[in-house]
Amino acid sequence: MKALITGASSGIGRDMARVLAKKDYDLVLVARDDNRLEKLAEELRKDYDIKVEIISMDLSIEDNCKKLHKCVSDVDILINNAGFGDCGNFTKTDLNKEISMINTNIVAYHILTKLYLVDMKAKNSGKILNVASIAGFMPGPLMATYYSTKAYIVRLSESIREELRKEKSNVQISILCPGPVKTNFNDVANVKFHMREADSMNVARFAVNKFLKGKFYIIPGIDVKLGIFFSHFVPSSLVAKITYMVQKRKIVK
């Protein structure tokens, strides 16, 4: 069995690689940071009797996503995890960074999900995990672009799930929707959380176990579950006001 993980050099992606390695999955690890990938690959090859391939690639470039599929065409699991955020007033945040974010958080997910889903449907087996966020269920003032990218992933995955159900396909799609996790996301997004952050390895273990059991919505933590639940019943305008106050406290001065 083989799993392809994007954004595998750090955080949840790295830890999901460790969890899957322990379950004897061969791995294809993709990220931009070649040094971190190599270090992780050496660790996994030393600890487990598995094959580990690393691919240093920037998935914000559309052609690279297509090249990745051609290079690695047969996988049992695809985990779309690469992504980053940014924080600030929408008129003041950097446009180039936002376009790169959209390309990484949406376009890469869309292309890889589509190409690998076609393969999986042809053999009527396979699993896809799209890493979304609690952010995908609510408005996100001061992180407008990031929240919007995660909303896209939630809706795309929900729509595909229903198509697969109607076709009685054995192919599975799931979404991971964590709250704040202790990773290098904060540094890239220029934020500092003032609430409890989940441990990355705990989230990874929880996610992989639920994913392999066929769970669609994978939501670590009772506080995150409650947040998503109440967001469905509270007016969007009120959620936006609350989110604004929370985000304002995050911005690194």
Side-chain angles (χ1 to χ4, degrees):
M1 301 288 278
K2 183 163 66 175
L4 167 63
I5 307 173
T6 70
S9 63
S10 63
I12 298 173
R14 176 196 60 201
D15 289 336
M16 284 195 288
R18 289 168 171 159
V19 174
L20 286 169
K22 193 172 183 180
K23 295 180 181 292
D24 296 322
Y25 279 84
D26 293 328
L27 299 171
V28 181
L29 308 177
V30 184
R32 289 181 295 180
D33 193 322
D34 186 63
N35 291 331
R36 285 185 176 182
L37 284 178
E38 187 58 54
K39 184 177 179 181
L40 177 60
E42 289 176 6
E43 170 197 323
L44 297 177
R45 292 184 189 119
K46 178 183 177 182
D47 293 343
Y48 305 102
D49 184 22
I50 60 169
K51 296 177 182 177
V52 183
E53 178 183 357
I54 62 171
I55 299 175
S56 179
M57 182 175 282
D58 182 356
L59 294 178
S60 70
I61 300 170
E62 180 179 331
D63 283 345
N64 282 350
C65 300
K66 296 173 182 176
K67 288 177 185 176
L68 176 60
H69 175 255
K70 288 181 180 178
C71 179
V72 186
S73 58
D74 186 22
V75 300
D76 302 287
I77 287 176
L78 167 66
I79 298 179
N80 281 313
N81 172 71
F84 66 94
D86 195 17
C87 194
N89 189 290
F90 183 70
T91 60
K92 297 178 181 179
T93 46
D94 183 80
L95 178 59
N96 290 329
K97 185 175 182 180
E98 288 171 331
I99 296 301
S100 181
M101 189 195 312
I102 290 168
N103 288 337
T104 305
N105 294 14
I106 292 180
V107 177
Y109 276 55
H110 188 107
I111 292 172
L112 294 176
T113 297
K114 192 178 196 72
L115 294 178
Y116 282 103
L117 185 61
V118 170
D119 296 341
M120 290 176 180
K121 284 180 67 176
K123 62 182 182 180
N124 200 28
S125 68
K127 298 176 183 289
I128 297 174
L129 175 62
N130 285 330
V131 177
S133 168
I134 185 178
F137 295 90
M138 57 189 70
L142 300 183
M143 291 189 77
T145 304
Y146 175 74
Y147 273 58
S148 298
T149 66
K150 291 307 178 181
Y152 182 94
I153 298 308
V154 169
R155 294 305 184 213
L156 178 69
S157 303
E158 289 173 334
S159 301
I160 292 170
R161 175 185 61 159
E162 181 61 15
E163 291 179 5
L164 292 172
R165 190 187 71 83
K166 287 291 187 181
E167 295 165 354
K168 294 182 170 55
S169 174
N170 289 324
V171 179
Q172 173 195 329
I173 191 165
S174 301
I175 49 174
L176 171 60
C177 304
V181 181
K182 195 177 297 183
T183 67
N184 66 348
F185 176 93
N186 296 5
D187 296 331
V188 178
N190 197 37
V191 298
K192 181 178 180 180
F193 287 104
H194 294 274
M195 57 188 294
R196 182 182 63 83
E197 295 176 280
D199 178 77
S200 176
M201 178 53 79
N202 289 341
V203 171
R205 286 196 196 98
F206 180 86
V208 170
N209 289 335
K210 293 294 184 182
F211 175 54
L212 294 180
K213 290 178 181 177
K215 185 79 172 174
F216 177 71
Y217 294 107
I218 302 172
I219 305 171
I222 186 64
D223 51 344
V224 182
K225 288 185 176 73
L226 288 173
I228 293 174
F229 177 79
F230 284 115
S231 71
H232 294 304
F233 299 97
V234 177
S236 183
S237 58
L238 178 57
V239 175
K241 289 176 182 177
I242 295 170
T243 306
Y244 181 90
M245 290 188 291
V246 172
Q247 309 291 37
K248 193 172 183 180
R249 295 181 62 216
K250 292 181 188 176
I251 299 176
V252 176
K253 304 294 185 184

